[in-house]
Amino acid sequence: MLMNKTHMHPSIIVESVFTWFWASIVLVFATIIKEIDEANNLMALAKDFLSFKIVLLIIIGVLLFLLIIAFISYLIWRRTYIYIDDNFNYVSGRLFKKHIKINLNDIATIIVRKNLIERLFHTSRIKLELNAGGDDTIARKMVFKDEVVDQIKSLVFKKEEIKPEEIESLVHYNSADITKHLLLSTNILSMIIIILFLGFTFYFATYDFNFKSLIVIVVFFFAAIVPIVWSIIKRYFDYHNFKLWFEDNKIKVSYGLFVNYKYEIPKNKINAVVISQTLQARLCNKYIISLINAGVGNEEGEQAIICLYSDKKQIDFLMKELLPDFINDNRVTLQANKSLGTYLINKVPLMFVMAIICMWFSKWLLLVNLLFIIWAFIQYKTKNIKIGDELITVTNGFFVRNSSTIKYKKVTKIDFVDTIIGKLYNIKYLRINTVGAMQTATFNAGYYSVKNENKIVKLYK
């Protein structure tokens, strides 16, 4: 037995009660708001709700509810534990007992995170990432004291963990660098859509202003504006103390001020390296590197990044230091010239639908058709590939441009799709699949000739 029966830290009970406390506050607030119809009803409603008996009943009800949550959380905590032998064992429940076994060799890495409460209790939340891709099969949060987490990592990986503060990071970012990264990583198209949505919503809420409109604006502010602002602030603090180093044939990353993120990426688990640029990053000549892996991802659905937005010199340095086997210096192969016509013809059904809609808005028809033509041209100009002996690089995207380099031995499937229109020009649509963190990663490369197809198929085999 490598580790005996070990319960999670009791702070998980406090965190559960705290979460439900805020949920109950929101429920009470929503109940009050629901009763408000007119401004003249507000004072009467406040008098009813703020009476001593009502307030006392609400407080007692909330306290009883939280006591029940605390008792249930305690029972769950008491009946949940882990132990380690040749497997990582997770046991929970009594009537419906669950026992999950994960072979230690199947664990790709253990991601360690801290939120504010966990920092106060000197605990950490761990998440197992498996070699086969996807999350672990343990859905419940696992929180342990920091020294227990270090012990788990040492036992699983059979070595002592090097702490981030003891290593020399390959990258160094200050507050200005983090701010630039946030500005450069924002998707312009998404931001435009959000601004338009917020603008229209605010306009219609204030068009015929009354007390209900005020309530809508307040709720809208807390439901839409505050989460966006909070997301920006959270991301800013997330990237503080960003450290990157290479040790034991693994790329290791640690970052975060209030919530600490740590993960390590075995070199042999890297299936693709993606160098990305948003539209504004291309104007500033900045790039970011992210990795696509079997078993290494994060809860937000983002790819595992190993740097913030940096200039070409820094990117080249990191590629040479950490990922030299993913450097593809082969000549760029553009899409077949006839693919522009293919993209245009593919837009005809949509253009026909928009033409019918524009019967009532005829002045927009020319603009809509022009947008479809621009869309087809962008698809033609932004996609290309590099064909190497061991690597293939797929470049695509306009608002976010990605150059994804994949090893042939990591490719799960290559499709050359025959389309009705493509047959007219004797070209096929190339699509490449590999294993991602949560699901299969697909790279759409565009239309290429039979000559390119034969070359890629020969190298893939």
Side-chain angles (χ1 to χ4, degrees):
M1 185 76 70
L2 301 178
M3 176 182 278
N4 294 322
K5 176 178 173 181
T6 304
H7 288 279
M8 286 183 281
H9 193 266
S11 62
I12 198 168
I13 300 172
V14 177
E15 191 169 346
S16 177
V17 171
F18 184 77
T19 301
W20 281 102
F21 170 74
W22 281 109
S24 61
I25 293 297
V26 171
L27 181 63
V28 170
F29 179 76
T31 302
I32 295 173
I33 291 297
K34 188 178 179 181
E35 295 296 325
I36 297 177
D37 291 324
E38 301 294 342
N40 57 15
N41 192 32
L42 180 62
M43 295 305 297
L45 186 68
K47 184 178 179 181
D48 290 339
F49 271 93
L50 295 179
S51 67
F52 177 76
K53 289 183 179 180
I54 295 296
V55 171
L56 184 62
L57 284 174
I58 290 175
I59 293 173
I60 292 173
V62 169
L63 288 176
L64 285 174
F65 175 71
L66 294 178
L67 283 173
I68 293 171
I69 293 297
F71 180 70
I72 294 172
S73 299
Y74 168 76
L75 291 179
I76 293 173
W77 170 83
R78 186 179 177 182
R79 295 167 185 173
T80 303
Y81 58 91
I82 67 164
Y83 64 91
I84 299 175
D85 43 30
D86 292 331
N87 303 294
F88 184 98
N89 296 269
Y90 176 90
V91 181
S92 65
R94 177 171 292 179
L95 292 177
F96 303 98
K97 191 171 183 178
K98 178 189 289 186
H99 186 172
I100 298 173
K101 290 185 178 183
I102 302 174
N103 191 284
L104 299 185
N105 293 326
D106 290 333
I107 300 175
T109 188
I110 297 176
I111 295 179
V112 182
R113 297 184 179 179
K114 284 176 175 286
N115 59 29
L116 190 56
I117 293 178
E118 287 154 2
R119 283 180 179 273
L120 293 173
F121 286 100
H122 300 287
T123 59
S124 298
R125 172 165 47 111
I126 66 171
K127 176 185 174 187
L128 308 184
E129 298 282 359
L130 307 184
N131 292 326
D135 287 336
D136 57 50
T137 54
I138 303 172
R140 192 174 298 280
K141 183 189 295 186
M142 295 185 290
V143 177
F144 301 95
K145 289 289 288 185
D146 289 338
E147 53 266 29
V148 175
V149 171
D150 291 338
Q151 183 184 0
I152 291 171
K153 296 188 75 172
S154 298
L155 293 173
V156 171
F157 300 118
K158 299 179 176 62
K159 66 182 296 299
E160 187 176 351
E161 183 70 11
I162 297 179
K163 295 182 179 180
E165 57 268 21
E166 298 174 354
I167 55 90
E168 180 62 32
S169 176
L170 294 173
V171 295
H172 302 278
Y173 301 113
N174 55 33
S175 296
D177 295 324
I178 297 171
T179 303
K180 289 177 184 176
H181 172 79
L182 294 177
L183 293 173
L184 294 175
S185 60
T186 301
N187 189 309
I188 293 295
L189 181 61
S190 300
M191 186 57 64
I192 291 173
I193 293 172
I194 290 172
I195 291 172
L196 289 175
F197 173 76
L198 296 179
F200 279 118
T201 304
F202 187 80
Y203 171 78
F204 286 115
T206 57
Y207 181 74
D208 184 18
F209 189 80
N210 52 37
F211 188 75
K212 281 187 176 181
S213 299
L214 177 62
I215 297 299
V216 170
I217 292 172
V218 171
V219 172
F220 176 75
F221 177 80
F222 284 101
I225 305 297
V226 171
I228 292 173
V229 174
W230 170 248
S231 175
I232 294 171
I233 295 172
K234 179 182 179 299
R235 289 180 64 200
Y236 175 81
F237 287 112
D238 275 352
Y239 292 125
H240 271 266
N241 301 324
F242 197 108
K243 295 181 183 295
L244 168 70
W245 71 102
F246 185 73
E247 185 257 335
D248 193 32
N249 208 31
K250 295 176 181 178
I251 296 172
K252 299 192 175 185
V253 181
S254 172
Y255 56 90
L257 185 61
F258 298 116
V259 179
N260 186 242
Y261 301 85
K262 298 178 185 177
Y263 57 87
E264 54 188 44
I265 307 165
K267 285 287 292 291
N268 61 349
K269 303 299 180 186
I270 299 174
N271 293 333
V273 175
V274 183
I275 299 177
S276 303
Q277 292 179 290
T278 56
L279 186 59
Q280 64 273 29
R282 293 212 296 280
L283 297 175
C284 300
N285 200 28
K286 300 290 185 179
Y287 307 80
I288 189 171
I289 302 174
S290 58
L291 306 178
I292 294 178
N293 301 72
V296 182
N298 60 46
E299 292 176 1
E300 289 75 26
E302 298 175 346
Q303 297 167 355
I305 63 170
I306 63 170
C307 67
L308 303 186
Y309 268 101
S310 309
D311 57 29
K312 188 69 164 60
K313 183 179 178 181
Q314 175 81 343
I315 295 299
D316 289 341
F317 166 76
L318 293 177
M319 290 296 295
K320 289 176 182 177
E321 284 287 317
L322 302 175
L323 302 158
D325 48 334
F326 278 93
I327 297 176
N328 190 351
D329 291 326
N330 288 276
R331 184 173 59 86
V332 171
T333 301
L334 301 176
Q335 292 187 86
N337 292 331
K338 296 176 181 178
S339 61
L340 176 58
T342 306
Y343 285 121
L344 284 169
I345 296 172
N346 284 336
K347 303 293 181 289
V348 169
L350 284 173
M351 293 172 73
F352 179 74
V353 172
M354 293 306 300
I356 295 175
I357 295 173
C358 288
M359 289 174 62
W360 291 273
F361 309 96
S362 56
K363 62 181 179 180
W364 294 102
L365 182 58
L366 182 60
L367 176 61
V368 169
N369 287 333
L370 180 61
L371 290 175
F372 276 115
I373 293 171
I374 293 173
W375 180 15
F377 183 75
I378 287 173
Q379 287 182 306
Y380 167 66
K381 292 296 290 184
T382 57
K383 293 182 179 180
N384 61 67
I385 57 175
K386 290 182 181 179
I387 305 172
D389 293 335
E390 297 180 353
L391 303 168
I392 183 167
T393 300
V394 175
T395 300
N396 55 27
F398 178 72
F399 288 103
V400 179
R401 186 173 179 81
N402 296 315
S403 290
S404 308
T405 302
I406 314 115
K407 290 184 176 180
Y408 289 113
K409 63 182 180 181
K410 296 291 188 177
V411 172
T412 57
K413 185 172 66 170
I414 291 181
D415 284 333
F416 281 93
V417 182
D418 255 328
T419 63
I420 296 175
I421 301 167
K423 285 182 177 180
L424 297 174
Y425 299 116
N426 198 27
I427 55 177
K428 295 182 180 180
Y429 193 82
L430 172 60
R431 187 179 293 122
I432 300 173
N433 291 343
T434 188
V435 177
M438 302 294 292
Q439 58 187 356
T440 300
T442 301
F443 306 92
N444 295 304
Y447 290 93
Y448 297 91
S449 65
V450 174
K451 179 182 176 181
N452 296 134
E453 176 187 3
N454 293 335
K455 185 177 180 179
I456 293 170
V457 169
K458 182 180 178 180
L459 291 167
Y460 178 50
K461 290 180 179 179

